[in-house]
Amino acid sequence: MINTMLTISLVLISITIVIAVLRIILGPSLPDRVLALDVIGVNLIASIAVISVLMNTKAFLEVILILGILSFIGTIAYSKYILRGVVVERKRDR
Amino acid sequence: MNVNAIGEFVGAFLILIGSIMSVISAFGLIRLPDVYTRSHAATKSSTLAVLLTLLGAFVYFWTTAHFISVRLLLGIVFVFLTAPVAGHLLVRSAYRSKVKLADISGTDDLREVLRKEEKEQ
């Protein structure tokens, strides 16, 4: 029964990722696409937690932290790019 | 039913509720009209979904293996701190780069402020 519940939740999370990919393809503006990428990153974290429960191992728990940091940095860099046009600014005095 | 079975069931149930929340947020992501309303679905309920899932995994490992995973707790704290900040920055940059609001939205209070700021530069 536990295995059935975990498999159902894994399927639901993958449905979410498919819908977010659909939003990336459809999305009219660039912030829509970045928002959908953020949703994909957050759902990858959840799916890795479910997989580590399903396989009954503790080896994947570092991946959660790494993916959280990478998804956050990616979203911040994209929003900076949308706002300014560059990611790393050289000139400080504007 | 002993304590281990109850703990397993509570963990799996929290994970199931989290994935149902994630599907609800995905429907918000595909159905809502513009980027500002979509960001509600993409940040708030998605954050709740991943927090419930990580809490379920934490409860599962705590009761079955008697292992209090600091990495899962750090992941919960980190997602809870960073997901609203990322959503706020993204919507701010979307508004300042003039992404259009949906047609049914009535007022746009910040437009005057933005116009005045552009005139000063």
Side-chain angles (χ1 to χ4, degrees), chain B residues 26-44:
Chain B
F27 275 113
L29 198 68
I30 202 76
R31 295 268 310 179
L32 288 171
D34 62 347
V35 65
Y36 308 106
T37 46
R38 261 174 228 141
S39 74
H40 283 274
T43 54
K44 290 179 188 170

Side-chain angles (χ1 to χ4, degrees), chain A residues 1 5 9 12 16 19 23 31-32 35 39 42-43 49-50 52-53 57-58 61-62 69 72 76 79 82-83, chain B residues 9 13 15 19 22-23 26 29-30 35 38 42 46 50 54 60-61 67 69 71 82 89-90 92-94:
Chain A
M1 182 179 168
M5 285 164 78
S9 58
L12 289 180
T16 306
I19 292 177
R23 176 48 72 193
D32 282 308
L35 205 63
V39 171
V42 163
N43 277 298
V50 178
S52 73
V53 171
T57 174
K58 297 163 201 158
L61 298 183
E62 284 95 352
I69 292 169
F72 177 61
I76 294 299
S79 63
I82 292 167
L83 197 59
Chain B
F9 183 76
F13 190 68
I15 288 176
S19 57
S22 138
V23 168
L29 198 68
I30 202 76
V35 65
R38 261 174 228 141
S46 184
V50 72
L54 290 182
Y60 188 88
F61 283 127
F67 173 70
S69 166
R71 285 164 290 184
T82 57
L89 274 176
L90 190 63
R92 180 179 182 272
S93 63

Side-chain angles (χ1 to χ4, degrees), chain B residues 35-112:
Chain B
V35 65
Y36 308 106
T37 46
R38 261 174 228 141
S39 74
H40 283 274
T43 54
K44 290 179 188 170
S45 55
S46 184
T47 306
L48 178 62
V50 72
L51 287 187
L52 281 175
T53 309
L54 290 182
L55 192 67
F58 177 73
V59 168
Y60 188 88
F61 283 127
W62 189 18
T63 52
T64 57
H66 297 288
F67 173 70
I68 296 181
S69 166
V70 183
R71 285 164 290 184
L72 271 176
L73 284 180
L74 271 179
I76 289 173
V77 170
F78 195 76
V79 170
F80 190 54
L81 283 181
T82 57
V85 175
H88 170 76
L89 274 176
L90 190 63
V91 174
R92 180 179 182 272
S93 63
Y95 189 79
R96 292 185 80 98
S97 66
K98 300 189 179 58
V99 176
K100 276 195 171 57
L101 272 70
D103 294 332
I104 56 172
S105 56
T107 61
D108 186 3
D109 285 338
L110 285 178
R111 197 172 54 191
E112 301 299 325

Side-chain angles (χ1 to χ4, degrees), chain A residues 2 40 44 63 71 74 79 89:
Chain A
I2 303 285
I40 287 180
L44 275 180
V63 183
S71 139
S79 63
E89 275 182 283

